[in-house]
Amino acid sequence: MIEELQQFGSLSVAHRTGGSPVELVRSEDEVVFLAFDNRIHRLVELHVLRGGSTLDAAMKRSAFDRARQASEIRGHAFMRILEVGEDQGMVYYTSNLNDGEFVEHYTQRRGAVAPATALALVYQLLDDLLQLQGFQRLVSRMHLDRVLVTTLEDTFLQLRVFDYGLSQLDAGTEGQSGARLVVEACRLIFLLLTGQPYAGENPDRFPALTQLPMGLRTAVRAALTDPENAPASVEKLRDDVREAFSALSSNIKARNFRKHLVVNSSLLPQSQLQELLLEDVPVETILGTRFRVEDADHARRYPFSIPAINTKLGQPVTVHLLPPSRIVDKSRYEAVPLQMWRFNPERHPNILRSLSLWESPDWTFLTEEREPGFALSRLMAERITLNPAEVAVLMRQIRAGLDQAVECGVQRVDLHPSNILLRVGKNGPLLSRELERLMQKRLDAWPSFVVKLRPHMTMRSLYEPLLVDMDLTEGQQQEEHLQNRDFRHRSFVALAGYLLTGERQTGGVPQFPESIPEAAAAYVRECLELIRRAGKTPSPGDFIDKFEGLLSAPTVDLATRLRGSSAVALEEMESAGSVSDFDDDWNANEASAGNFEDEPISPIKRGIKTHDFNSLVQQKRSLPVGAIAAAAAVILGVGAWIFMGGKKEPGAAAQPVVSSAEAEGPAVIKKEAPPAVVKTVQSKPVAAKAETVKPQPAPVVVTPVVAAPVKPVAVMKEAVPNPSVKPTPAVVASVTDVPAPPPIVPVPVNDVKPVTKLLAADAATTTAVVTPAANNPPQTVNASAPPVTAAKQPEKAPITIRRAILPSKEEIDRMKQGQVESRTGRMPAISTAASLPPKRKETP
């Protein structure tokens, strides 16, 4: 019955010249025929399960369920199932026509594939397989070792799965199916890298496998040598393939998968459909002497669209080969619309013109003008999706093309991406390179281009699936012109959805990228739902106007969308800027009174120490005068040490000592060593006497003496030694009754004279000279330096006090007259590393 098959439901089975049906080689468990679907006017594949034998109830139910799941798959790596049915006990399904070459024949003909290209092909196949998370029953019976090598938009290589295993019962568990898929994927990797199928050899004997990274090499060896214990994780194998691909790529730019899958003459697979329909007749023989093929590679790449030159006119044309009547009856399609004589190039710039048409019993030749540019499908293969602004620019011209087609008498135009040509660029040897650069740019950065629609029929239009169903009927049968108008509206919206999402076939929930505003995405999603209902789709003009209006509307950022649509009333936010942070602060009087009843509760953590701003202000206003005097004395002492030549000698080792200050009180000396003798320096303008002492073995620790202001004029006195007090090994010099210093004004470094006068007026420095001991050179110690603690050394020099810097007579007179504010200062202590002798001898 199958050999005499002519009609199978709504399908017309294609026949050879002898009358036998055209059979396609696909799965081993199925019989596949080439047929024409009279409802959708497309060439399809007719798959009959189990060779036409009847199936039991369980097998039939399982095949129906998985076939319905497969009809929902959208992807280039899988064939699309269009219809599932049963006829006379036989279960069948139809799918889109797949053209390409089996991977085993592909490697036998051209040899092994480059490692980067092979791994890129396998990675894309495994990545698409992992996207089918909700189709475990279908995935459990797929076969990955028998795939087709095809091309994506005639530009990129692609592996396509055509055997879904519907003739088998899905009895395997998920783990067993995962291990089987891993084994078949590893066999596919072995076939692509070595150019021969695996026949039990040792994988380590092949250099193409030993050069792989350890992860993928171990996985392939384990899957090939021990299939029963192979790993069951397809995702782990996908990651190993990606890691190996990155390791074999030389740079980051080369790690793009598309760069390694571009079709050239050596990678191009042969077209099974061309050989089947031409019956092994060369293309040059069919074209004869009237046309000359311009590029043999292009002729092989586009098996039914051949770039050629008219030998008589010298005009570049594109020759389209249409199937003979034994494949598709001539009455089933119209090659060129009958009313195309209305075409005018000036009035209809968005229509692609056909030049001539020849029909013969075996073939039909159709020629069209060839202009620089490329098809929209080629751009989508490179870009995947387009930006909303680019889609708006394209859809404006496509809408104009639809209106022009109606004027020419063409009511139905197939708005398939392969039937839309973008005319851009100039003819010449650099055209292909220019087009490659344009595909990487936005459409608004292109030079002026024209979108052209193809109203006539091509071979590609006969076997690629439509974006939408041909006709939808609800209730009564609509009139023909209403059906044509509804088809144009639905095709226009479906094309816009494809350009925005990259999903060619309708079905499922479309996923829009983040670059599309939410309002525009919601509107397109709503229109895509309406195309499934007859007469409900908006017209192209209304759709594009509202779409562009939503693009120009104010956008809502991602943070606002994540927060939600709750908005705060305007009247609740009017006084937000007039609220003070210090209105509720309590002052010192309320705090002292203990009025804490109305104190607001702070939302800050209780363990955090609070901070009172008012108390800081009060403290800042009432700083003690002693602290200011101490700070002034330290600053003046440092300045004197810098400008008066204070310099450490190599033999002096000192450490600072910390002291505390008190307001208005006697001098206090902290004792960490034997008691020290306080030396009070007079403020009279007489030379200070130097004291020569002998070293003692005990170390000395000197602390400064704190002095408080008593009188506005300083009176210098000499300390009277107390005979009851024994001499100590330390000498402390301090200044008493010194007025408080005024605020310090910064003085330039080069201006030494004003600084010297200021230091002399304050009497804040004292210089001591250490008389050397035996075999030690003299040392000079600056008394204005910070107090230090001497380190223990075997021999140190005694101290000699030089003349202090005293105020001049004019400055003393000004102090007496009250023109100078009282200042309080404190002389730093003089420390020495040497011990003091029991007796001191003053030197003049």
Side-chain angles (χ1 to χ4, degrees), residues 16-17 22-25 34 97-102 105-106 109 268-283 286 299-300 302-304 321 324 326-327 363 459:
R16 295 181 178 273
T17 306
V22 178
E23 187 175 352
L24 302 176
V25 180
L34 179 63
L97 183 59
N98 301 279
D99 190 17
E101 188 176 5
F102 290 105
H105 299 164
Y106 182 77
R109 179 178 58 84
L268 184 68
Q270 291 183 354
S271 173
Q272 290 183 349
L273 190 59
Q274 184 185 33
E275 296 178 356
L276 187 64
L277 298 183
L278 295 180
E279 296 182 348
D280 299 332
V281 179
V283 176
I286 296 176
R300 293 180 54 204
Y302 311 103
F304 300 101
L321 301 181
R326 56 184 174 85
I327 302 295
W363 284 98
M459 185 66 183

Side-chain angles (χ1 to χ4, degrees), residues 481 663 753 765:
H481 71 282
K753 184 176 180 180
T765 58

Side-chain angles (χ1 to χ4, degrees), residues 336 572 678 692 720 780 821:
V336 179
E572 298 179 6
V678 178
T692 305
V720 179
T780 301
E821 298 179 1

Side-chain angles (χ1 to χ4, degrees), residues 728-789:
T728 58
V731 176
V732 179
S734 65
V735 180
T736 61
D737 300 338
V738 180
I744 303 302
V745 179
V747 181
V749 178
N750 297 330
D751 193 0
V752 182
K753 184 176 180 180
V755 176
T756 306
K757 290 184 178 181
L758 182 60
L759 297 177
D762 295 337
T765 58
T766 303
T767 306
V769 178
V770 181
T771 304
N775 300 328
N776 287 338
Q779 301 179 3
T780 301
V781 179
N782 191 351
S784 63
V788 295
T789 302

Side-chain angles (χ1 to χ4, degrees), residues 56-68:
D56 56 2
M59 180 71 69
K60 187 181 301 184
R61 184 171 55 255
S62 174
F64 269 105
D65 293 342
R66 285 180 290 160
R68 291 190 181 95

Side-chain angles (χ1 to χ4, degrees), residues 632-753:
V634 173
I635 295 175
L636 293 176
V638 174
W641 178 72
I642 293 176
F643 293 106
M644 298 306 296
K647 187 177 181 181
K648 282 188 178 182
E649 295 297 330
Q655 296 180 357
V657 178
V658 181
S659 63
S660 61
E662 294 181 3
E664 296 188 2
V668 180
I669 303 175
K670 294 184 179 180
K671 298 180 181 181
E672 294 182 3
V677 177
V678 178
K679 176 66 176 179
T680 304
V681 183
Q682 297 180 1
S683 60
K684 298 179 181 180
V686 288
K689 296 181 180 181
E691 297 181 359
T692 305
V693 295
K694 295 182 181 180
Q696 291 291 337
V700 179
V701 178
V702 182
T703 58
V705 178
V706 178
V710 178
K711 299 178 181 180
V713 181
V715 178
M716 310 300 294
K717 296 181 180 181
E718 184 175 359
V720 179
N722 189 357
S724 63
V725 179
K726 295 182 180 181
T728 58
V731 176
V732 179
S734 65
V735 180
T736 61
D737 300 338
V738 180
I744 303 302
V745 179
V747 181
V749 178
N750 297 330
D751 193 0
V752 182
K753 184 176 180 180

